[in-house]
Amino acid sequence: MAITMAQALNTALHDAMEADDKVVMFGEDVGTLGGVFRITDKLQERFGEKRCFDTPLAESGIVGTAIGMAMYGYKPVVEMQFDGFTYPAFEQIVSHLAKMPNRSRGTVQLPVVVRIPYGGGIGAVEHHSESPEAFFSHVAGLKIVSPGTPSDGYSLLRRAIDSPDPVIFFEPKRRYWLKEDAELPVTTEPFGTAVVRRQGTTATLLAYGPMVRTALDTAKAAEEEGWDLEVVDLRTLNPFDAKTVVASVAKTGHAVVIHEAQVFAGFGAEVAAQITERAFYDLEAPVLRVGGFDVPYPAAKLEEFFLPDTDRILDAVERSLSF
Amino acid sequence: MAAAPLTPDPATLLPSLEPVQLLDNQGVLHEVDGYPLDLKDEDFRNLYRFMVLARRVDKQGINLQRQGQLGVYASLLGQEAAQVGGAYALDEQDWVFPSYREMGAALVRGVDPGKILQLFRGTWLSDHDPHATHFGLLSIPIATQALHAVGFAMGAKLDGKDLVVMSYFGDGATSEGDAHEAMNFAAVYDAPCVFYVQNNQYAISVPLSKQTKAPTIAHKAVGYGMPGYRCDGNDVLASYAVAKQAVERARAGEGPSLIEAITYRMEAHTTADDPTRYRTAEELAEWNARDPIARFETFLTKEGLLDDAFRAQIDDEAKAYAARMREEIYDAPHGDPLELFEHVYVEPPASYDEQRALLRRELEAQ
């Protein structure tokens, strides 16, 4: 059956709430409306206003109260309406959600999931298309997850909710309508496991979230050039699966890391460094990064010039192969 | 057109113009309408005991810092009544979410002061189990703990538990966004929560007049649709009576309240601060005359509740506390460096194995 990422995420929330009555869902417009992207559609209707509720418009308040509820014994799943509205919650996420379990010497656990629809490509106004995953990947104590397929959307979100550690769950909003033939419930690989989405020998494309689809499209297009590209879906940025990444690069000798976020100090820099440290002698060229330019996310009519696409990725592959 | 009545009626939320005071500066008890004292002799003695212990423990904290045993220490001197009175209004099942100056409240909740001082010594980032005493971890980023208090209270309400949460913060914290978001969330969800502001007049060096234009901190409550209360925070009985009313209100399902306990930080902000740069000796002398313990002693003595035997008993207890603190802190070694990796994640990433091995090699090379 063809399911979309949005349906997979919605079903995951539904099934998690059904499986464990400690799971509660809250955020802006997630109740009556079902979320601006309808990811929480019908959850309030099914589970009542106590377990799925609208909050005042205050992101720090949402994450801060989620921490308190988790201390009490609940498993809150909260929604930041858009990537660019996450920043008011930054202090609660960085200073408490990530650090309190360690600060408490393990006496406090915070099984909180912060869902963030992220990335561009939907023609939105400013603050609605950002990719802030590098900020959070830099924080010890958080797990950083970003699914690239509906199956992973379901399975990784279920795992995130079951996780005893706090999880920042980045949902690739332009892939909410991406379809896949799958039956739910589905269980995919655990956190810390990257997956080779396409076997290849010429070079390795490393991607996560919205860029997994783009990488696969690029690999298809590259066939015309006679290139057989391997595509690795990282799935979780923390924990990071260095093993699968290194194995792929050892096979191809060429690595191109792709993300929507600006390249400078982006997560691709970490991937490049991991590969360089662990597979230096397997490399036939420097690890290249493909991403947005080092400028603020542009206005909607200009985003196609900012976002990495097949052409920009193929250009990088060519540079790598001709190094 | 006649205006529709407002809900709630703002007039019912306004704090009294005069702070509630039951015990005046001379230690004379005055009855105040709406704030009956439900305390037994034993409670009066206990309030006194906690205040004296708090002062002794505080002094020991300062001394340990001066002796180089603590990196820094934040004194509560002058705020004993506000802290002890507030926390004493809670029942055992209730919770406190403190900032970093709440040693008095911590004692009431049964937290071992030696554990709290490990934070200031730098042994570990915090060293008490919040679930054991229902006293949250010391929270250093200002006002952030108020949201944890509200979330906890929301959880208790959702769970149908009889439980009230008290969040302590200071006058400066009321300027932070998190204090605003916390009070707003609490009011919207009728969370069983009490916001207990110790207005000690200064946020490090910045006086309250530069912090807010509100008539008083307690008046801010009206904006959230909850009642605001003001009390003389150097009067332990007023601090208790006002807190008790707010706690009972929360327990009855009537929602949160904001209390402003007016007090004064007699010491520096922390041992790293120099208060002579921003306040005068006259001001200090004025507040010294309102000392919370002295006036309560006068009252207790008059009531026949404080005799030499009881004084000696508390003195012994305070000395024992201080001795134990010295023992636990003096030359306490730092913890096991390998524990750095133990509590960050329940399910740690594979990279921790490599980093732990690196640290182990470094330790072995020492």
Side-chain angles (χ1 to χ4, degrees):
Chain A
M1 200 179 99
I3 50 157
T4 64
M5 173 77 82
Q7 286 167 337
L9 295 168
N10 176 254
T11 307
L13 290 170
H14 174 277
D15 292 358
M17 291 177 84
E18 189 117 302
D20 185 351
D21 59 13
K22 291 290 180 201
V23 178
V24 290
M25 171 74 224
F26 55 98
E28 296 156 9
D29 303 292
V30 303
T32 312
L33 183 67
V36 293
F37 290 106
R38 308 291 182 265
I39 305 302
T40 58
D41 192 33
K42 297 202 165 53
L43 294 180
Q44 187 177 74
E45 201 179 300
R46 166 69 184 79
F47 297 101
E49 283 183 37
K50 285 186 169 177
R51 292 188 58 204
C52 177
F53 53 93
D54 293 321
T55 63
L57 211 167
E59 291 77 12
S60 187
I62 292 167
V63 176
T65 52
I67 290 169
M69 286 188 96
M71 282 184 77
Y72 185 84
Y74 283 95
K75 294 181 180 174
V77 182
V78 298
E79 179 174 303
M80 300 283 102
Q81 198 159 70
F82 282 92
D83 36 58
F85 303 149
T86 307
Y87 310 129
F90 200 68
E91 182 180 34
Q92 285 291 346
I93 293 174
V94 173
S95 294
H96 291 305
L97 184 61
K99 297 190 176 116
M100 200 187 283
N102 178 61
R103 180 184 305 140
S104 75
R105 231 169 177 161
T107 58
V108 172
Q109 298 303 333
L110 298 177
V112 174
V113 180
V114 180
R115 296 178 37 242
I116 306 176
Y118 85 119
I122 63 163
V125 295
E126 199 184 359
H127 315 295
H128 293 68
S129 302
E130 301 182 10
S131 295
E133 68 274 17
F135 296 143
F136 298 100
S137 300
H138 194 60
V139 182
L142 302 175
K143 289 175 176 170
I144 311 294
V145 178
S146 185
T149 67
S151 291
D152 258 359
Y154 179 89
S155 185
L156 290 175
L157 186 50
R158 289 297 304 271
R159 288 188 190 279
I161 295 167
D162 287 342
S163 164
D165 300 309
V167 176
I168 311 295
F169 194 86
F170 284 100
E171 300 174 1
K173 73 167 87 79
R174 73 155 111 167
R175 304 299 180 207
Y176 274 151
W177 304 280
L178 177 76
K179 281 188 177 155
E180 179 193 353
D181 274 326
E183 289 295 329
L184 300 181
V186 61
T187 303
T188 61
E189 294 78 0
F191 285 4
T193 314
V195 166
V196 177
R197 294 273 176 226
R198 185 187 190 282
Q199 297 279 350
T201 52
T202 314
T204 300
L205 303 182
L206 301 127
Y208 54 88
M211 285 291 107
V212 172
R213 183 72 253 164
T214 308
L216 288 167
D217 291 344
T218 302
K220 183 98 184 129
E223 288 171 5
E224 285 177 30
E225 305 279 340
W227 295 337
D228 181 18
L229 300 182
E230 179 144 310
V231 175
V232 176
D233 178 355
L234 298 178
R235 302 172 73 250
T236 59
L237 310 191
N238 187 357
F240 178 74
D241 180 5
K243 221 164 137 185
T244 302
V245 170
V246 164
S248 176
V249 175
K251 186 167 78 171
T252 65
H254 296 269
V256 176
V257 196
I258 309 159
H259 52 55
E260 282 192 21
Q262 300 92 297
V263 165
F264 185 81
F267 191 75
E270 177 61 32
V271 178
Q274 292 272 354
I275 294 169
T276 309
E277 287 178 5
R278 295 171 194 276
F280 185 72
Y281 291 107
D282 292 319
L283 286 170
E284 289 168 30
V287 180
L288 295 180
R289 293 169 291 163
V290 174
F293 297 116
D294 297 329
V295 299
Y297 198 91
K301 301 290 186 211
L302 295 170
E303 70 179 346
E304 64 173 302
F305 305 105
F306 169 86
L307 287 169
D309 58 8
T310 291
D311 286 346
R312 198 178 294 166
I313 298 166
L314 287 177
D315 176 70
V317 172
E318 188 171 15
R319 277 187 286 132
S320 177
L321 295 177
S322 58
F323 183 78
Chain B
M1 194 179 98
L6 296 176
T7 314
D9 178 357
T12 64
L13 307 176
L14 281 168
S16 54
L17 288 179
E18 285 296 317
V20 175
Q21 186 189 60
L22 300 182
L23 211 54
D24 66 22
N25 285 352
Q26 281 69 49
V28 178
L29 185 69
H30 305 272
E31 277 187 27
V32 177
D33 271 355
Y35 299 96
L37 274 179
D38 58 351
L39 297 171
K40 301 189 184 77
D41 287 355
E42 191 193 330
D43 295 312
F44 285 112
R45 285 205 182 98
N46 242 337
L47 286 169
Y48 176 73
R49 174 177 157 260
F50 281 126
M51 286 203 287
V52 172
L53 290 179
R55 185 163 289 187
R56 182 65 189 92
V57 161
D58 190 66
K59 190 176 168 212
Q60 187 60 63
I62 293 172
N63 288 346
L64 283 167
Q65 195 280 332
R66 301 248 156 89
Q67 292 156 10
Q69 291 292 320
L70 301 177
V72 72
Y73 177 74
S75 168
L76 63 80
L77 188 69
Q79 299 177 219
E80 295 88 350
Q83 290 195 11
V84 168
Y88 203 77
L90 296 169
D91 286 347
E92 200 179 334
Q93 75 272 24
D94 299 335
W95 271 69
V96 169
F97 283 76
S99 74
Y100 47 77
R101 199 187 296 285
E102 268 73 75
M103 191 69 98
L107 285 171
V108 176
R109 297 307 299 181
V111 182
D112 180 352
K115 293 262 183 201
I116 286 191
L117 288 192
Q118 298 296 340
L119 179 156
F120 294 107
R121 180 163 172 83
T123 317
W124 197 261
L125 301 165
S126 184
D127 200 21
H128 76 276
D129 176 1
H131 295 281
T133 52
H134 296 188
F135 190 80
L137 301 174
L138 271 61
S139 189
I140 296 175
I142 303 301
T144 53
Q145 74 278 10
L147 280 167
H148 309 156
V150 175
F152 201 95
M154 286 164 66
K157 189 183 173 188
L158 182 58
D159 196 28
K161 283 279 151 56
D162 166 24
L163 190 158
V164 175
V165 184
M166 183 174 281
S167 172
Y168 279 86
F169 51 97
D171 43 299
T174 61
S175 299
E176 287 278 8
D178 275 6
H180 160 69
E181 294 188 23
M183 291 192 273
N184 190 48
F185 269 61
V188 165
Y189 296 114
D190 278 326
C193 199
V194 176
F195 299 101
Y196 196 91
V197 177
Q198 291 172 85
N199 171 6
N200 70 8
Q201 312 301 329
Y202 289 91
I204 304 188
S205 68
V206 179
L208 184 64
S209 60
K210 291 184 180 165
Q211 208 68 245
T212 180
K213 273 291 233 183
T216 74
I217 288 170
H219 277 84
K220 294 188 178 202
V222 182
Y224 302 106
M226 68 171 96
Y229 302 97
R230 300 180 80 209
C231 68
D232 177 352
N234 283 18
D235 170 3
V236 71
L237 298 181
S239 300
Y240 166 79
V242 168
K244 184 77 178 173
Q245 187 167 104
V247 166
E248 289 314 317
R249 194 176 179 280
R251 205 182 299 288
E254 291 166 31
S257 318
L258 170 63
I259 296 171
E260 176 185 3
I262 299 158
T263 181
Y264 195 82
R265 188 191 77 217
M266 296 301 290
E267 264 290 343
H269 162 68
T270 67
T271 45
D273 176 37
D274 174 12
T276 63
R277 293 174 73 100
Y278 56 83
R279 61 187 196 188
T280 62
E282 291 75 29
E283 185 178 291
L284 210 60
E286 198 183 301
W287 280 94
N288 205 26
R290 303 183 208 171
D291 183 69
I293 295 184
R295 85 168 80 162
F296 197 45
E297 271 180 0
T298 309
F299 166 76
L300 291 178
T301 308
K302 230 169 6 195
E303 295 292 315
L305 293 169
L306 185 63
D307 56 21
D308 287 345
F310 186 55
R311 271 179 203 271
Q313 183 196 320
I314 294 176
D315 195 44
D316 285 348
E317 196 182 353
K319 275 183 189 149
Y321 253 114
R324 211 172 72 226
M325 283 166 73
R326 288 194 298 273
E327 203 173 295
E328 286 172 11
I329 291 296
Y330 229 89
D331 295 333
H334 57 61
D336 177 4
L338 291 168
E339 197 187 333
L340 287 176
F341 301 99
E342 289 305 306
H343 316 295
V344 187
Y345 296 94
V346 178
E347 298 165 347
S351 59
Y352 273 28
D353 294 339
E354 296 170 20
Q355 296 184 19
R356 193 184 288 108
L358 170 65
L359 179 56
R360 191 171 282 132
R361 285 199 301 279
E362 289 176 356
L363 292 170
E364 282 162 7
Q366 272 179 6

